[in-house]
Amino acid sequence: MITDHYLKKFSISLIVWIIMLLAFIWVIDPYGVSPIQIKLPPININKPMRLDIDRLIKPYEVWRYQPRTIFLGTSRIQQSIDPSIFNGTHFAPAYNAAIPASTLAENVANIEQYLKLDHHIKDIFIELFLYNFTTKQTKIIHKTWKEFISNVVSLQFSSDALIVSVKTILANRHQHASAYIAKLGYRVPDRNFNPADTFSDSLYMRTVLSWDRAGKLTLEPSAFAALDRIISLAKKHGVKLHMLLTPNYPWDDYRLISLRHWPLLEQWLRKIAHYPDVVSFSQYNRLIEEPPLQSPKMKWWNDPIHFSLNLGRFMMRAYLGSPDISTPPNFLRPLNPSTVASVIAERHQGLMRWATLHPEFVADFEEAKTISDTVTGTLNIRKKILAI
């Protein structure tokens, strides 16, 4: 028979073990969410397990930091916007709540949740990215307090948190400065990362041509309905919505015109122009057109899709009305019904000029359309022989 004395010892031992495990997780702090925030350089400074869990952790950080301003969008915003640019302005404090591969419907659900978690939010900056509007939106899944609390508990104390704490220690022993998510929610690349290494024109061509083969681009009404819902939410809660038409690298713009999607882009821009407070950063200039092999490292782009923290800082300074002295004069344009025609014309003219200056890319892209199997990325030998 189990005695009361034994049960008492067992209970005390169990509580001690739980406290020890919780203390271990909080000290190692693999996700950067520990309430005690201890920094131990050889043990827990590098937090590689914090990467790629934005959907789980960002609602918690919005609740924890209580920012006045948040940024929403895809990995393009996550990799480029450092909210500390807003320090000392009426937008501060700000937080980058962007989530890679997020849809407009997800942004609706996230905004609903963030406004419940943080009553201080007064400004929301949201990315306008063409491909988000060519994706059919799924039904909006409203996030619950139960889900939020469950996620917080899993971050603070769980078997997963214990395992990744051990992995964090092992990663720090290697002393490699890997990519990480900064406190304000943006991604900082690996110290040794060289953007020029990501600019493989052949890989880019295989990728985008396979996307095109998988399904032609069309504007989805459900995407515009989701944006309308975002605008309605902001208005209901007295939040100012700032919409950013983000930069496109010339490779991607050439893809649009070569694959006959340019009319769709123009149609999208004309629709977007009817929304309030939209600005465009898609005009051609030396920042947008940065050569892939610039030495020693590219400054403005991480890869052909993602622009860098440097370009993001230029964007936000220009938005604040205090651009850097070297900022191109056409860097920021308001987009509205009276300017949309000139914005479209300027972008088209810039692309045509760029294409003239880069005939090798144009020739390679056109050849890839003709002789490549865009699903597998392999050469279609029969077509190549017939072309000869």
Side-chain angles (χ1 to χ4, degrees), residues 156-217:
Q156 299 282 0
F157 183 72
S158 65
S159 58
D160 286 342
L162 179 61
I163 292 170
V164 298
S165 293
V166 175
K167 290 182 178 179
T168 297
I169 295 174
L170 296 175
N172 277 266
R173 287 173 62 87
H174 293 293
Q175 297 182 340
H176 175 65
S178 62
Y180 66 94
I181 303 298
K183 180 179 179 180
L184 296 181
Y186 61 94
R187 190 179 191 274
V188 178
D190 188 307
R191 183 186 301 169
N192 298 321
F193 171 64
N194 185 351
D197 295 338
T198 68
F199 275 77
S200 166
D201 55 0
S202 60
L203 175 59
Y204 172 79
M205 292 172 194
R206 287 199 306 271
T207 302
V208 298
L209 289 172
S210 67
W211 290 343
D212 185 66
R213 177 68 63 86
K216 298 295 182 181
L217 295 181

Side-chain angles (χ1 to χ4, degrees), residues 58-348:
K58 286 200 166 176
Y60 168 78
E61 291 189 333
V62 167
W63 170 78
R64 179 178 179 178
Y65 299 138
Q66 295 289 294
R68 187 191 190 283
T69 300
I70 59 173
F71 289 86
L72 293 174
T74 63
S75 55
R76 286 158 53 89
I77 295 296
Q78 185 220 32
Q79 293 188 23
S80 64
I81 300 299
D82 174 2
S84 67
I85 292 294
F86 283 172
N87 289 352
T89 74
H90 70 278
F91 291 111
Y95 176 77
N96 189 331
I99 296 173
S102 59
T103 66
L104 288 164
E106 285 180 295
N107 282 333
V108 172
N110 289 333
I111 290 173
E112 287 180 339
Q113 183 180 41
Y114 294 158
L115 291 173
K116 292 176 183 177
L117 297 171
D118 177 9
H119 298 294
H120 298 90
I121 295 175
K122 296 299 178 185
D123 291 271
I124 295 176
F125 285 76
I126 187 165
E127 172 192 29
L128 298 179
F129 187 35
L130 171 63
Y131 301 114
N132 267 0
F133 289 82
T134 62
T135 303
K136 188 173 183 179
Q137 306 295 297
T138 57
K139 182 180 178 181
I140 296 170
I141 301 176
H142 304 283
K143 300 185 178 183
T144 65
W145 281 104
K146 181 180 179 181
E147 177 188 3
F148 173 73
I149 293 171
S150 175
N151 289 340
V152 170
V153 171
S154 68
L155 290 169
Q156 299 282 0
F157 183 72
S158 65
S159 58
D160 286 342
L162 179 61
I163 292 170
V164 298
S165 293
V166 175
K167 290 182 178 179
T168 297
I169 295 174
L170 296 175
N172 277 266
R173 287 173 62 87
H174 293 293
Q175 297 182 340
H176 175 65
S178 62
Y180 66 94
I181 303 298
K183 180 179 179 180
L184 296 181
Y186 61 94
R187 190 179 191 274
V188 178
D190 188 307
R191 183 186 301 169
N192 298 321
F193 171 64
N194 185 351
D197 295 338
T198 68
F199 275 77
S200 166
D201 55 0
S202 60
L203 175 59
Y204 172 79
M205 292 172 194
R206 287 199 306 271
T207 302
V208 298
L209 289 172
S210 67
W211 290 343
D212 185 66
R213 177 68 63 86
K216 298 295 182 181
L217 295 181
T218 57
L219 294 180
E220 291 289 344
S222 59
F224 287 95
L227 182 58
D228 291 338
R229 179 70 179 275
I230 289 172
I231 292 172
S232 177
L233 272 172
K235 184 176 181 180
K236 177 181 177 181
H237 291 270
V239 171
K240 174 74 171 176
L241 196 62
H242 311 260
M243 293 192 269
L244 310 177
L245 186 64
T246 46
N248 247 33
Y249 195 70
W251 287 7
D252 206 57
D253 268 4
Y254 187 79
R255 166 216 178 175
L256 293 174
I257 204 162
S258 177
L259 298 179
R260 301 180 181 179
H261 297 314
W262 195 264
L264 179 138
L265 171 67
E266 293 192 3
Q267 180 188 0
W268 175 66
L269 289 172
R270 292 189 178 95
K271 283 179 173 287
I272 292 298
H274 287 279
Y275 288 91
D277 300 306
V278 180
V279 297
S280 169
F281 292 98
S282 63
Q283 296 70 240
Y284 276 67
N285 50 62
R286 66 177 181 82
L287 309 183
I288 305 303
E289 302 174 46
E290 181 179 25
L293 300 179
Q294 184 168 311
S295 179
K297 285 187 178 182
M298 294 180 70
K299 185 175 182 180
W300 309 113
W301 291 87
N302 291 336
D303 57 57
I305 303 297
H306 300 90
F307 46 101
S308 71
L309 286 167
N310 292 317
L311 188 52
R313 292 184 182 109
F314 264 50
M315 290 167 58
M316 291 301 97
R317 290 186 186 118
Y319 194 90
L320 290 171
S322 55
D324 288 55
I325 191 171
S326 60
T327 301
N330 72 337
F331 187 54
L332 182 153
R333 294 272 194 253
L335 184 66
N336 53 55
S338 65
T339 65
V340 63
S342 62
V343 168
I344 290 173
E346 183 176 3
R347 183 165 173 178
H348 183 266

